[in-house]
Amino acid sequence: MVKIVKFGGSSLADAHQFKKVGDIIKSDPDRRFVVPSAPGKRFKDDIKVTDLLYKAYNAESEQEFECTFDTIKDRYQSIIDELNLTVDLTEEFEVIKKNFQDQISEEYAASRGEYLNGILLANYLGFEFVDPATCIFIDEHGNYDDKKTDPVLSKKLSEVENCVIPGFYGSCSEDPTKIRTFSRGGSDVTGSIVAKCGQVKLYENWTDVSGFLVADPRIVKNPEVIGTITYKELRELSYMGASVLHENAVFPIRSQGIPIVIKNTNKPEDAGTLIVESTVHKPDHIITGISGKQGFATIMIEKDMMNDEIGFGRKVLQVIEEAGLSYEHTPSGIDTMNVIVELNSFIEHEQEILANLHRAVEPDSIELESDLALIAIVGRGMKDGRGVAAKVFTALANKKINVKMIDQGSSELNIIVGVKNIHFNEAIRAIYNTFIEQE
């Protein structure tokens, strides 16, 4: 069973972490394709190599450039020395230095962390190095160009037994010097593309956590790990702030039915979280996960006989669209319509939007409310569960938390509740306690 393994920056931060990664890969011969990130932080106050590259590229003086560039070189040389690698990066750094001084592009600069780490990891493993600039193509918007990429990358992967292909970047044309980076998702997206084109059976995404957690560990102490989650559940949780795996990383392989497993490089014995298209696996709890975001505003529009006015909702949303804003939810009643928007974006256009709403729909009144947080309760088990919404309300009422909004999708996969920002953490803990600890 061919597998692809992707390792994050913390997993490849230094020689000690390289050894862990090497042991993981060598323990399973099916792990044939490897996607590395750039070296991450080695300790709390350390600086990621990618951040150092940005700093060097945008240096305001020759002294700052030389100092930062030397720091980058030292990071890689320490890995080479401690692992006794038979690779010399001197020429690579000379090329990179010249391109930095020529200001070739910031995307090129950012990509060199993965590029150099890929060379070292390939040397350490004895695998072939494949530069994604020659086989992964990214369009002008920073998105994966499947029509150009798939035939080229599929052919390349079919010709190699084992390879290391760095994440995060590709090129915008057949010219490998025209480096582009992914707009979102980075190395996770590369992992999915390689999984798709390499026709693998499993995509292992190795990071510094033992899977996807039911709730944010900064809010809930020692939350449970989710054993199995579907792509739909993952998308709902990721959209609302959960960040173990970016939702963009799922799209290249979702249609292929390739599962993803999130594993911990520092605890490889942990089971992790399996992400699948669909499953008959019964969830451990009615809900799969809880996530949320703070910083929303509500535009409350009231008008008598609104329900009889054709096109009312369209006109309201058109005003929001023309201001360049997206909306989160639109809960409504017979004579009221609420539009929930991201607060910081709304503030910039607040008075313009209010004036245009008055002109567009002539409301009886418009009220604004800020300080709103949205919490998503997600789970495939909710479809057959009874009284889920009632349990949510009870959990919040017991903590004297007022629910400002509720919205449930027709798929019965999630419930969104709105509470004041000040109650955000306490609300998540109350819901977790009700559905996870008390079940």
Side-chain angles (χ1 to χ4, degrees), residues 27 66 106 157 165 219 315 331 353 371 374-375 417 425 433:
S27 70
E66 292 291 348
E106 195 168 59
L157 294 176
I165 178 166
I219 299 173
K315 293 174 185 176
I353 289 173
D371 197 36
L374 299 181
I375 299 171
V417 294
N425 289 0
N433 182 63

Side-chain angles (χ1 to χ4, degrees), residues 50-208:
T50 301
D51 292 336
L52 289 170
L53 288 163
Y54 278 123
K55 183 179 179 181
Y57 188 79
N58 296 302
E60 295 181 358
S61 68
E62 183 66 24
Q63 182 181 2
E64 181 186 1
F65 172 78
E66 292 291 348
C67 180
T68 307
F69 203 76
D70 284 345
T71 301
I72 296 167
K73 290 167 66 176
D74 289 344
R75 283 288 298 268
Y76 288 102
Q77 192 59 48
S78 67
I79 295 173
I80 292 171
D81 292 342
E82 290 182 49
L83 297 178
N84 296 315
L85 301 182
T86 58
V87 62
D88 185 351
L89 296 180
T90 302
E91 290 186 11
E92 295 289 353
F93 275 117
E94 288 176 358
V95 172
I96 293 170
K97 187 173 186 177
K98 181 180 184 304
N99 286 333
F100 273 38
Q101 292 170 334
D102 291 343
Q103 292 284 286
I104 185 170
S105 81
E106 195 168 59
E107 288 181 270
Y108 168 85
S111 73
R112 295 305 86 183
E114 278 75 11
Y115 173 76
L116 294 170
N117 229 25
I119 292 174
L120 297 194
L121 188 58
N123 185 270
Y124 180 58
L125 296 171
F127 285 11
E128 183 173 336
F129 174 77
V130 175
D131 188 351
T134 65
C135 53
I136 292 181
F137 303 104
I138 302 173
D139 66 22
E140 64 273 17
H141 304 295
N143 298 316
Y144 152 56
D145 187 335
D146 59 330
K147 289 182 173 58
K148 291 175 67 175
T149 299
D150 290 5
V152 177
L153 182 57
S154 296
K155 182 176 185 297
K156 180 61 181 178
L157 294 176
S158 69
E159 295 170 349
V160 298
E161 182 66 26
N162 305 90
C163 75
V164 172
I165 178 166
F168 182 47
Y169 75 96
S171 62
C172 59
S173 68
E174 281 70 19
D175 182 354
T177 65
K178 305 293 185 181
I179 297 295
R180 294 299 309 268
T181 56
F182 287 112
S183 59
R184 293 182 298 174
S187 296
D188 292 332
V189 177
T190 302
S192 288
I193 295 169
V194 174
K196 175 187 177 184
C197 295
Q199 299 183 327
V200 307
K201 300 299 181 183
L202 181 66
Y203 170 14
E204 295 181 349
N205 192 299
W206 293 80
T207 181
D208 55 4

